[in-house]
Amino acid sequence: ELTETNPERLEDFQAMMDAIGGIDASNAGAVIAAGAAGVAVISSIVGAPDIESATRALRQALDSAHLSGLQTQ
């Protein structure tokens, strides 16, 4: 059962959460830092004038956020 009185199970659930909607390179790192396991993006990539650059910027933001999270553990 997933409840606040069962924190081990709650932590398992929280580790699986992803963020979706409005995510781009400018906020992806903050989303990961806030605890999301990952992000889902569409518009920030396919709507960008340069899809490759947008993808690289997003990947760099995510890599930096994950690396920072590892260093603080």
Side-chain angles (χ1 to χ4, degrees), residues 19-43:
I20 185 169
I23 309 299
D24 60 24
S26 72
N27 60 12
V31 169
I32 296 299
V39 298
V41 298
I42 296 175
S43 299

Side-chain angles (χ1 to χ4, degrees), residues 1-8 10:
E1 183 176 332
L2 182 62
T3 66
E4 288 184 23
T5 59
N6 189 351
E8 182 178 309
L10 184 59

Side-chain angles (χ1 to χ4, degrees), residues 28-59:
V31 169
I32 296 299
V39 298
V41 298
I42 296 175
S43 299
S44 68
I45 300 295
V46 299
D50 183 345
I51 291 173
E52 183 177 355
S53 291
T55 303
R56 288 183 190 281
L58 181 63
R59 182 58 194 243

